[in-house]
Amino acid sequence: MMNSWTVSAPSTAMAAASALALVSEAHFFEESMDPGQVRRFLEDPSGRDLLKGMKWLLAMISKGRNVSDFFPAVVKNVIAKSVEVKKMVYIYLVHYADHSAACRELALLSINSFQKDLAASNQLIRALALRVMTSIRVPDIIQIQLLAVRKCAGDGNPYVRKCAALALPKIHKLGPDHLPALKGLISQLLRDASTMVLGSAVAAFTVVCPEDLALLHPCYRKLCHVLADCDEWSQILLLKTMTRYLRVNFCDPSPGKETERLRQAEEYANAPLHTLLNEQSSSGNGVPSVAAEDAENAQAGVKGVAKAALPPHPKRTIKRRVVKKAFYSDEEDESEEEEVEVHESAPAHTTLSSSLADGQSLLTSDLDPD
């Protein structure tokens, strides 16, 4: 009993600590804080109150409040040593980097700090630094953004490469003239082995260059193989993209077959009735020919008969297996066989011949034998 209590005690203590932390941080969503006090927290040199100020700002953002007025005080803390504080600072900057012209100018002043964090040891810091840099919509730094994306596209962590793929549409919207460079990065990311990166690369492809399907030639089979391993949103993008690809690049398995069938059907529908009856007589079906003038007079009625007098489809009985899934996972599925009737489709030439024969019999019965 003592041993089991010794093993479970740490886990109980951790659960209690987690619950206490949740309770202690809930007041950031409920309490209102004086703006002056928040600025004092953000300017705390020791860093003890800085975490409180950032938590309150993020809580207000999650509630839909506009806290962009604190941008000058927050952007100064991008050089904070604490990883937890730096993550919160970057989350705030990603949200407000393009909020206004003043925010963009202040973010530009910290561009060197963002570039420095692209080489941080923490992959989340590298990814957040890239997201902030590419969120600044200033054409003057687009070359710096391209260099940052190119660097992160070759990062060893798949999450950083995913953020690099998601940054490409932002750069394309800001500078469409850099399309060749963006295509090269998309082609590089489409060859990635991670499904996390591939989904974002396909998303970038659909925005940047959706008509350039040649980029998918080297990786189409791989995309088909990893489709089931991607997340749901990536699967939707992959299915739409691959459908467009195969419709353009794959050959028709029966070229011209459907067109020929429609052409023959149109010829039969528009041909004079005596021509169809003569063709049936010459084919050896024993259908006698009739006078052309009588056939033309009754053509409209026979066409309706030919359409309406189609023979019924033959039926046949087959057995199929019906599986009843067990309700609980430890039970076995039940299966049984049942007999059902299915319709068999008749060949097109048989249907047409029989319809014409029925039409001819009705026509000859209506004609005067004298």
Side-chain angles (χ1 to χ4, degrees):
M1 180 65 69
M2 287 298 294
N3 291 336
S4 62
W5 168 255
T6 306
V7 172
S8 60
S11 60
T12 305
M14 291 176 61
S18 301
L20 182 61
L22 291 174
V23 172
S24 61
E25 294 180 358
H27 66 89
F28 290 110
F29 295 89
E30 301 172 357
E31 296 179 358
S32 60
M33 195 176 295
D34 181 62
Q37 184 180 3
V38 176
R39 287 189 172 88
R40 288 193 297 270
F41 283 170
L42 296 176
E43 295 173 358
D44 181 22
S46 63
R48 289 191 298 268
D49 294 331
L50 177 58
L51 188 61
K52 296 180 182 178
M54 290 306 306
K55 287 182 179 180
W56 185 84
L57 288 178
L58 295 183
M60 294 301 103
I61 291 176
S62 66
K63 293 174 67 175
R65 307 284 179 82
N66 184 7
V67 289
S68 60
D69 294 338
F70 298 96
F71 193 92
V74 174
V75 75
K76 296 177 183 178
N77 294 304
V78 74
I79 59 174
K81 300 297 182 182
S82 173
V83 175
E84 185 177 4
V85 171
K86 183 168 285 192
K87 289 178 185 177
M88 295 184 179
V89 170
Y90 271 122
I91 292 173
Y92 178 92
L93 294 179
V94 167
H95 192 78
Y96 286 112
D98 196 45
H99 180 73
S100 62
C103 292
R104 284 192 290 270
E105 291 178 2
L106 289 172
L108 285 175
L109 297 177
S110 302
I111 196 72
N112 292 331
S113 299
F114 302 151
Q115 288 180 294
K116 182 180 178 181
D117 284 339
L118 291 176
S121 58
N122 191 304
Q123 67 272 13
L124 294 179
I125 298 298
R126 298 197 300 271
L128 287 171
L130 177 66
R131 291 179 60 188
V132 173
M133 285 187 63
T134 54
S135 297
I136 305 173
R137 294 179 49 80
V138 178
D140 297 336
I141 64 168
I142 194 168
Q143 291 294 341
I144 300 176
Q145 293 174 337
L146 276 173
L147 290 174
V149 172
R150 187 173 288 109
K151 180 179 180 180
C152 292
D155 195 274
N157 187 272
Y159 178 72
V160 180
R161 299 198 299 272
K162 173 183 178 179
C163 290
L166 295 177
L168 296 177
K170 301 179 186 178
I171 298 178
H172 178 259
K173 187 176 181 180
L174 184 62
D177 298 337
H178 297 82
L179 183 61
L182 298 177
K183 284 185 178 181
L185 291 171
I186 290 176
S187 178
Q188 175 185 345
L189 293 169
L190 285 174
R191 296 193 298 269
D192 202 286
S194 173
T195 55
M196 181 191 303
V197 181
L198 286 174
S200 301
V202 173
F205 169 82
T206 57
V207 175
V208 177
C209 50
E211 303 302 327
D212 193 0
L213 297 177
L215 293 176
L216 301 178
H217 288 337
C219 57
Y220 180 79
R221 291 183 180 272
K222 182 181 72 173
L223 293 177
C224 294
H225 291 158
V226 303
L227 177 62
D229 299 328
C230 295
D231 59 271
E232 291 82 358
W233 301 107
S234 300
Q235 286 178 353
I236 295 172
L237 287 173
L238 281 169
L239 287 173
K240 290 182 178 179
T241 304
M242 290 189 295
T243 301
R244 289 196 304 112
Y245 178 87
L246 66 90
R247 284 178 176 173
V248 173
N249 295 282
F250 281 36
C251 297
D252 187 357
S254 301
K257 183 177 180 180
E258 184 68 14
T259 305
E260 181 65 20
R261 187 187 67 81
L262 294 175
R263 186 188 64 80
Q264 292 179 358
E266 186 177 359
E267 286 182 357
Y268 275 111
N270 297 329
L273 181 61
H274 62 84
T275 304
L276 299 177
L277 297 178
N278 290 335
E279 289 180 359
Q280 293 293 322
S281 300
S282 61
S283 63
N285 291 335
V287 180
S289 61
V290 295
E293 58 273 17
D294 296 333
E296 290 176 357
N297 294 334
Q299 182 177 7
V302 176
K303 280 187 178 180
V305 173
K307 293 181 180 179
L310 294 176
H313 295 308
K315 296 181 180 180
R316 65 186 180 93
T317 303
I318 62 171
K319 292 184 178 181
R320 68 177 182 182
R321 182 167 173 262
V322 180
V323 179
K324 296 181 180 179
K325 293 290 185 179
F327 184 78
Y328 297 100
S329 58
D330 56 347
E331 297 179 354
E332 295 184 356
D333 298 338
E334 298 180 359
S335 62
E336 59 183 10
E337 289 188 352
E338 64 178 11
E339 294 184 353
V340 294
E341 290 185 349
V342 296
H343 295 276
E344 292 183 347
S345 59
H349 66 275
T350 305
T351 304
L352 181 59
S353 301
S354 59
S355 301
L356 290 174
D358 293 340
Q360 171 62 20
S361 61
L362 290 173
L363 179 62
T364 53
S365 62
D366 293 336
L367 295 177
D368 189 358
D370 297 334

